[in-house]
């Protein structure tokens, strides 16, 4: 199958022809933990779920934060198909400019066992919303400097105290939703 591979170390996008089998992704990333992100229309992005704890380089595909190498494969409903994007189209969607806020937050989070994409729930206006750490970081990245500093200071304190990260992120997500309302 035709995959597109993003290598953040060399900042390149290349085509790969891989035989899609049950263990293809696990073998490619040398990991049993794979994140599957449906953020590109008609495509799925696969990454190593251990990339955060291994301090892999961060970048964006569109507005989605990605860590480490990524494989992009096409999707038609539930069926995996060849990637239909060209290397050039995908390269245009990739942005390697990471703000200091993201760098600091990711550095702190790399000391934990957290996953940026693991869902948690937050109640807002009587509705339960499914969010994740990546969303919380995205929201706080667009906040003012004082709010970013507040977030980073309290994240660091939470980590130093060895407190659970999910309740902290739920609290920050609730505050972000209230601020956006």
């Amino acid at each position: 199958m035709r995959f597109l591979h993003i290598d953040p170390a060399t900042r390149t996008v290349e085509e790969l022809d891989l035989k899609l089998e049950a263990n293809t992704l696990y073998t490619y990333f040398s990991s049993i933990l794979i994140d599957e992100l449906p953020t590109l229309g008609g495509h799925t992005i696969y990454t190593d779920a251990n990339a955060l704890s291994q301090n892999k380089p961060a970048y964006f595909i569109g507005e989605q934060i990605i860590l480490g190498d990524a494989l992009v494969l096409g999707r038609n409903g539930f069926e995996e198909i060849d990637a239909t994007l060209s290397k050039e189209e995908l390269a245009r969607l990739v942005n390697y400019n990471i703000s200091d806020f993201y760098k600091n937050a990711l550095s702190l989070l790399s000391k934990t066992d957290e996953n940026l994409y693991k869902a948690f729930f937050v109640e807002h206006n009587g509705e339960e919303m499914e969010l994740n750490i990546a969303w919380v970081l995205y929201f706080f990245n667009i906040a003012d400097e004082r709010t970013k500093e507040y977030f980073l200071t309290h994240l660091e304190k939470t980590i130093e105290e060895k407190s659970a990260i999910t309740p902290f992120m739920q609290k920050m997500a609730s505050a972000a939703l209230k601020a956006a309302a």
Side-chain angles (χ1 to χ4, degrees):
M1 295 196 87
R2 179 182 179 267
F3 284 82
L4 293 174
H5 169 241
I6 301 169
D7 182 343
T10 61
R11 295 186 174 196
T12 58
V13 176
E14 64 181 342
E15 285 186 32
L16 297 178
D17 187 28
L18 299 174
K19 187 174 182 180
L20 187 60
E21 297 177 343
N23 66 344
T24 300
L25 296 170
Y26 306 110
T27 301
Y28 185 84
F29 290 110
S30 300
S31 176
I32 60 169
L33 300 173
I34 305 298
D35 284 323
E36 182 178 326
L37 309 170
T39 55
L40 282 176
H43 291 81
T44 302
I45 303 166
Y46 296 98
T47 63
D48 179 358
N50 294 313
L52 178 61
S53 63
Q54 295 172 352
N55 288 308
K56 298 284 176 114
Y59 55 97
F60 292 94
I61 298 178
E63 294 182 350
Q64 175 67 59
I65 188 83
I66 306 291
L67 302 175
D69 286 36
L71 288 176
V72 178
L73 185 61
R75 182 168 300 269
N76 183 10
F78 292 110
E79 182 183 3
E80 293 169 323
I81 60 173
D82 289 336
T84 58
L85 287 169
S86 70
K87 292 186 318 183
E88 296 77 19
E89 287 172 316
L90 182 55
R92 283 192 295 272
L93 294 173
V94 177
N95 178 0
Y96 297 100
N97 296 321
I98 303 297
S99 71
D100 287 340
F101 170 79
Y102 265 109
K103 290 175 186 175
N104 293 332
L106 293 172
S107 176
L108 289 169
L109 288 166
S110 71
K111 301 171 189 174
T112 71
D113 292 333
E114 292 300 316
N115 180 296
L116 293 181
Y117 315 110
K118 180 181 161 198
F120 57 78
F121 294 92
V122 174
E123 189 173 313
H124 180 66
N125 291 337
E127 291 183 45
E128 195 166 76
M129 300 181 73
E130 185 176 341
L131 301 173
N132 59 34
I133 293 173
W135 183 89
V136 174
L137 295 180
Y138 175 82
F139 187 89
F140 278 88
N141 184 59
I142 59 176
D144 61 66
E145 291 304 315
R146 195 166 142 205
T147 303
K148 289 177 190 178
E149 189 58 38
Y150 174 88
F151 177 89
L152 291 171
T153 299
H154 285 81
L155 174 59
E156 183 173 27
K157 182 179 174 187
T158 300
I159 292 168
E160 285 174 357
E161 293 173 350
K162 300 186 186 316
S163 297
I165 301 299
T166 300
F168 170 78
M169 290 296 172
Q170 288 171 311
K171 178 181 168 185
M172 294 293 106
S174 291
L177 289 167
K178 286 177 188 170

